[in-house]
Amino acid sequence: MSHSISSPTSLNRRTLLMGSMGLLTGAAAFRFPTPAIAQSVPLKVGLMLPYSGTFAKLGKFIDDGMRLYVEQNGGSLGGRRIEFVQVDDESKPESATDNMNRLVGREKVDVVVGTVHSGVAMAMVKVARDTNTMLIIPNAGVNEATGPLCAPNIFRTSFSNWQVCHPMGKVMFDAGHRNVATITWRYAAGTQMIDAFKEGFTKAGGKIADDLALPFPEVEFQALIARIATLKPDAMFAFFAGGGAVKFVKDYAAAGLNKSIPLYGAGFLTDGTIQAQGADAAGIKTTLHYADDLDLPANKRFLEAFKAKTGNDGDIYAVQGYDAGALLKSGLEAVKGDWSARAAVVEAMRGAKFDSPRGPVSFNKANNPVQNVYLREVRNGRNEMISIAGTAVDDPARGCRVQA
Ligand code: BEZ
């Protein structure tokens, strides 16, 4: 299977890349297909992801994971060939509405898969609701997407910010930590993940020494690291991801804090970053809905196939992209490729259950995955599972009115 990249069309210097997995000819001519011929027209999937900036690697691994899934299915899902259109969202919330409108309005995609950054995802959710476009979120954890802004056309194959961090509160309390400080970027994902951790930790009886933050995507950590050294909490809880996570972990170790103040975090602190962090990441404990060494046939098959396709070790981002493919297939198969049968597509996707590389996945009433959350530790250059911090963890979907 191949995909082609045509020359970019510029929109305020943003990049639009066209990729195809199947027939390109004829797609544009059939923007309003009748059901009878709909299945012969490729399903157009808009990939709105960061292909540049601090989350560039995360976006690439989601893209690779999704393409791997489609490739393993011969380029078609439920009998529909899949065609991709890519947009680099640069993790910039201020460009998100334009980017999304372009995919929906000009490119006339059938479904959008994106994105990584919670602030960008918020704008995407609003456009998806206004235009009734099907949206599959393959990373961004912004609670609202499957909370107060939940909708039948909005699904997530990743996590909510609450879901992956709440279990860590009890884990850290049970490890004997009583006085913990937090650090993150000051934006939706950072704030919501820290709040979820604090909810679990203070409920268990812990106290918060201080909350430290800097604007996204800044990486000048020195002043905050000096503050941690002065505070001397029992332990730290952190959320950073991508390039920022690499720099934070290295700076923390360079200041010698990893020897005296144990570092914990949301799993993004060490997922997809561990090679670049090297020995500085050793011993960091995190919670996430994935671990590199999960002893599951689906995980082994996935890691082998991902390595064979890309030459890289799979991570949570690749898994979430792969599962976006699996979710799309559930919907398309139920209607034999007739995407216009929206109610049946939604019903099938909401009822989907699959053996993900991360373990069993199903969906709650707000279309957020119900899944295990694992406690991991960086050992031997991998995020190894220590225990299951929460089995079949379900996001509370606060503010989501049950959908029709
Ligand atoms: C977010 O913005 O939701 C996010 C970004 C990177 C990793 C995890 C979450």
Side-chain angles (χ1 to χ4, degrees):
M1 188 179 305
S2 66
H3 65 272
S4 63
I5 297 184
S6 75
S7 58
T9 329
S10 69
L11 174 71
N12 298 335
R13 292 176 32 226
R14 282 188 296 277
T15 308
L16 175 74
L17 304 167
M18 292 285 295
S20 153
M21 300 185 88
L23 299 175
L24 272 176
T25 50
F30 287 101
R31 293 328 309 159
F32 301 105
T34 63
I37 58 168
Q39 285 89 324
S40 63
V41 177
L43 188 90
K44 203 165 177 185
V45 178
L47 291 173
M48 183 164 153
L49 292 166
Y51 293 97
S52 59
T54 198
F55 290 160
K57 185 176 173 217
L58 286 52
K60 169 151 184 11
F61 274 51
I62 290 169
D63 180 312
D64 283 344
M66 173 130 197
R67 286 180 195 271
L68 172 63
Y69 190 89
V70 173
E71 224 173 271
Q72 287 179 337
N73 283 271
S76 299
L77 301 176
R80 282 293 285 277
R81 293 198 69 74
I82 301 296
E83 175 189 318
F84 288 114
V85 186
Q86 297 168 229
V87 171
D88 179 5
D89 70 35
E90 304 170 271
S91 294
K92 287 190 177 160
E94 64 273 22
S95 313
T97 303
D98 281 354
N99 279 331
M100 185 73 177
N101 279 333
R102 177 182 186 140
L103 281 175
V104 173
R106 187 159 131 195
E107 294 298 328
K108 299 198 173 9
V109 298
D110 296 295
V111 52
V112 176
V113 176
T115 187
V116 168
H117 183 286
S118 274
V120 176
M122 269 300 275
M124 295 174 74
V125 163
K126 286 179 187 153
V127 176
R129 285 171 62 99
D130 288 351
T131 59
N132 198 24
T133 303
M134 187 69 92
L135 172 64
I136 300 177
I137 302 173
N139 185 71
V142 63
N143 292 334
E144 286 84 347
T146 53
L149 296 181
C150 73
N153 57 314
I154 296 167
F155 281 80
R156 183 144 56 190
T157 57
S158 50
F159 59 93
S160 75
N161 289 328
W162 182 92
Q163 196 174 24
V164 286
C165 294
H166 187 263
M168 187 53 117
K170 183 165 169 10
V171 167
M172 287 183 72
F173 189 84
D174 289 350
H177 305 304
R178 297 291 178 265
N179 189 41
V180 168
T182 70
I183 185 165
T184 189
W185 279 311
R186 199 177 297 115
Y187 83 108
T191 310
Q192 293 182 350
M193 288 199 208
I194 297 298
D195 283 352
F197 159 71
K198 283 163 54 173
E199 188 186 315
F201 185 61
T202 55
K203 188 167 170 225
K207 294 237 167 347
I208 299 298
D210 203 355
D211 293 314
L212 310 177
L214 73 171
F216 175 88
E218 282 183 18
V219 291
E220 289 312 318
F221 297 114
Q222 284 317 319
L224 297 179
I225 282 182
R227 169 89 182 125
I228 297 169
T230 311
L231 270 175
K232 295 192 180 48
D234 296 348
M236 287 299 298
F237 177 84
F239 164 69
F240 294 108
V246 173
K247 173 95 170 22
F248 177 72
V249 164
K250 292 193 97 43
D251 286 0
Y252 196 81
L257 293 183
N258 57 341
K259 304 272 185 320
S260 53
I261 305 171
L263 181 57
Y264 291 74
F268 313 103
L269 192 62
T270 53
D271 229 80
T273 53
I274 208 162
Q275 272 180 339
Q277 290 161 336
D280 292 339
I284 296 176
K285 293 197 180 88
T286 59
T287 42
L288 200 68
H289 46 302
Y290 185 62
D292 294 327
D293 62 337
L294 287 182
D295 191 14
L296 302 168
N299 190 36
K300 289 179 182 155
R301 281 195 303 272
F302 164 76
L303 287 174
E304 202 176 307
F306 192 81
K307 183 92 177 182
K309 176 177 162 61
T310 66
N312 293 316
D313 293 326
D315 61 13
I316 186 55
Y317 306 106
V319 169
Q320 293 169 164
Y322 191 75
D323 287 349
L327 183 62
L328 195 53
K329 182 180 175 186
S330 305
L332 279 166
E333 256 182 4
V335 295
K336 300 192 171 46
D338 180 6
W339 192 245
S340 67
R342 173 65 75 84
V345 167
V346 167
E347 193 185 334
M349 285 170 61
R350 195 175 288 159
K353 289 186 177 27
F354 39 81
D355 277 329
S356 163
R358 71 185 96 167
V361 168
S362 59
F363 292 86
N364 71 4
K365 66 166 189 180
N367 302 340
N368 192 67
V370 178
Q371 56 196 337
N372 294 338
V373 172
Y374 305 97
L375 174 64
R376 312 107 48 86
E377 180 174 352
V378 176
R379 297 176 186 152
N380 309 309
R382 297 194 310 169
N383 287 292
E384 294 190 354
M385 185 181 104
I386 302 177
S387 62
I388 300 182
T391 302
V393 177
D394 189 4
D395 179 88
R398 290 171 185 148
C400 172
R401 299 223 188 104
V402 181
Q403 305 167 29

